Amino acid sequence: MDTYRSLSKQEWEKALTQLLNHYHIYAPLAWGENQDYERIDEDSVADIIYNRPKPASPLKTFFLPVKENVINTEKSDKKRIILGIPSCDLSGANILDEIYLDDVFVDPAYKKNRDESILIGSDCHTLQEHCHCTTYGIRPYPEENHDLTLSLVEDTIFMHINSDKGEQLVREIGNITQLSEPTENEIQEILDKRKAVEEELNRRNRDLPNYNATGDLINSSGDEIWKKYSETCVSCGACATICPTCTCFLLLERPGFEKVRHLDACQYPGFEKVAAGEDPLKELYKRFRNRYMCKYVWKPEKFESTACTGCGRCIEACIGNISKNELFMELYNK
């Protein structure tokens, strides 16, 4: 399904406005100095941000909302289109799928949220300070878990079809406005942008250990480095809740057999507290280390998918100014 289509940005925005009659559309909009997904209406179609990493919220918040009644599995009135998803978040969906779409225990709420979404991935034409996806084998452009890829080059939107859902959506867009087939030179320009960003990511992060090496370093480390780096941690849990692959949750029961799922975070005090007051993660540095053991040591023992996609959000969100990459480099250089 190696097919590109293109149209002017003006015609694309007209098509999106028409699609609002049939879909809820979410896309990145400016949010102070940052950007985050917002539900698009006619007034905000022209404000969508393209090809700039990365929305503050990860893709997982659409599949695993912060709070959700998991008994309610009724279909929504409209399907939704999620536009502008970076590759790091699309790759993060692999481990979510492994956990929640397991062959034996499928999670109905997660499956509903996944099935009702059309995913439009976005090439990253720039990079942010803490982006390091290529260190963990992920390229800065969509390669999996998406229906369309979208690139804005100058004033032209280029779409690459990657699934039956994507083909159907392009057909609907083609019924609204005329689509063109890009020239070889135009496609080459997209590929050149990809290559340039990938090379820059590799150059900036050339000293970071890869995923497997990081797991070995963490597993063989002593307590001192975790005590040192956790000194400014305030247990806010931002690193876990904003992570595209962290999945811990609490299931609360309510009257009428309702079950409400709340996202949880291993950095919260009392996360592992059990009967009689025992708490194996009572000490802060142990909770701090636990998250990295989970991502780089324990998850690889149970799942095939990578549990860190190098998005860098945990570094950006940390109010204690803790950089996991600085910690890993210190371990690597010892």
Side-chain angles (χ1 to χ4, degrees):
M1 204 169 288
D2 191 18
T3 307
Y4 277 95
R5 291 289 183 272
S6 65
L7 71 170
S8 72
K9 185 169 181 284
Q10 185 179 21
E11 289 301 313
W12 163 256
E13 290 171 354
K14 286 181 183 176
L16 279 185
T17 303
Q18 290 289 315
L19 289 173
L20 286 170
N21 295 320
H22 307 288
Y23 297 95
H24 296 306
I25 301 177
Y26 296 83
L29 296 180
W31 187 56
E33 295 179 353
N34 301 304
Q35 55 172 316
D36 206 0
Y37 294 107
E38 296 284 351
R39 189 163 151 185
I40 300 302
D41 58 24
E42 291 183 16
D43 294 332
S44 56
V45 163
D47 298 327
I48 295 173
I49 296 171
Y50 296 94
N51 301 122
R52 194 179 84 193
K54 56 195 171 292
S57 301
L59 175 65
K60 81 169 182 187
T61 55
F62 289 97
F63 305 149
L64 297 169
V66 174
K67 178 181 177 183
E68 180 179 33
N69 184 341
V70 294
I71 298 299
N72 177 18
T73 55
E74 293 179 5
K75 285 191 174 182
S76 305
D77 59 332
K78 294 179 181 178
K79 284 191 173 183
R80 63 184 174 190
I81 295 172
I82 307 169
L83 191 158
I85 311 164
S87 175
C88 49
D89 283 357
L90 291 167
S91 293
N94 284 333
I95 198 159
L96 303 184
D97 287 352
E98 273 200 74
I99 295 170
Y100 290 95
L101 300 180
D102 179 90
D103 289 341
V104 179
F105 300 106
V106 173
D107 185 299
Y110 177 87
K111 186 175 188 306
K112 169 181 169 287
N113 292 337
R114 192 83 162 82
D115 290 346
E116 292 183 350
S117 301
I118 296 173
L119 306 182
I120 301 182
S122 173
D123 286 15
C124 291
H125 289 176
T126 57
L127 56 157
Q128 294 180 333
E129 180 182 0
H130 300 294
C131 292
H132 56 289
C133 60
T134 55
T135 303
Y136 300 151
I138 297 163
R139 293 192 168 99
Y141 49 86
E143 291 190 300
E144 54 190 345
N145 299 323
H146 61 297
D147 301 300
L148 283 180
T149 303
L150 190 145
S151 286
L152 172 64
V153 179
E154 296 180 355
D155 201 33
T156 301
I157 292 283
F158 296 92
M159 299 179 293
H160 185 243
I161 302 170
N162 298 285
S163 73
D164 292 339
K165 278 186 184 178
E167 190 168 25
Q168 173 61 30
L169 183 62
V170 169
R171 197 175 298 127
E172 291 179 48
I173 295 171
N175 290 334
I176 299 170
T177 186
Q178 186 170 358
L179 301 177
S180 303
E181 290 190 19
T183 65
E184 288 187 8
N185 286 341
E186 287 174 324
I187 294 173
Q188 189 59 50
E189 188 173 0
I190 295 170
L191 299 180
D192 288 345
K193 283 182 180 292
R194 290 179 170 183
K195 184 180 178 185
V197 173
E198 187 173 358
E199 287 178 350
E200 179 62 12
L201 279 164
N202 286 332
R203 187 190 68 77
R204 285 195 193 183
N205 298 300
R206 59 183 178 274
D207 295 329
L208 263 181
N210 65 29
Y211 187 66
N212 292 333
T214 301
D216 292 340
L217 289 167
I218 292 169
N219 205 21
S220 60
S221 63
D223 291 344
E224 290 308 311
I225 194 165
W226 302 100
K227 290 178 179 176
K228 173 185 172 183
Y229 276 87
S230 64
E231 282 180 350
T232 57
C233 176
V234 296
S235 301
C236 69
C239 53
T241 54
I242 207 166
C243 172
T245 63
C246 279
T247 61
C248 289
F249 64 86
L250 290 170
L251 193 62
L252 307 180
E253 297 200 18
R254 288 186 170 173
F257 299 103
E258 282 193 0
K259 295 186 184 297
V260 177
R261 177 161 56 201
H262 281 258
L263 284 187
D264 199 2
C266 60
Q267 300 306 292
Y268 295 152
F271 176 78
E272 281 201 356
K273 195 171 184 178
V274 294
E278 290 297 320
D279 186 355
L281 297 182
K282 183 177 181 180
E283 293 170 275
L284 176 59
Y285 81 93
K286 289 183 178 177
R287 286 202 303 279
F288 182 70
R289 185 187 184 197
N290 177 79
R291 181 165 180 271
Y292 298 106
M293 287 293 290
C294 178
K295 290 198 162 297
Y296 293 90
V297 179
W298 296 326
K299 283 266 175 36
E301 292 175 355
K302 292 177 179 289
F303 303 100
E304 295 181 359
S305 306
T306 302
C308 177
T309 62
C311 70
R313 286 190 182 91
C314 57
I315 302 171
E316 294 155 5
C318 181
I319 60 177
N321 293 322
I322 301 169
S323 168
K324 74 177 179 70
N325 288 348
E326 289 179 10
L327 188 159
F328 296 160
M329 286 299 299
E330 186 167 331
L331 281 176
Y332 184 66
N333 291 321
K334 273 189 173 180

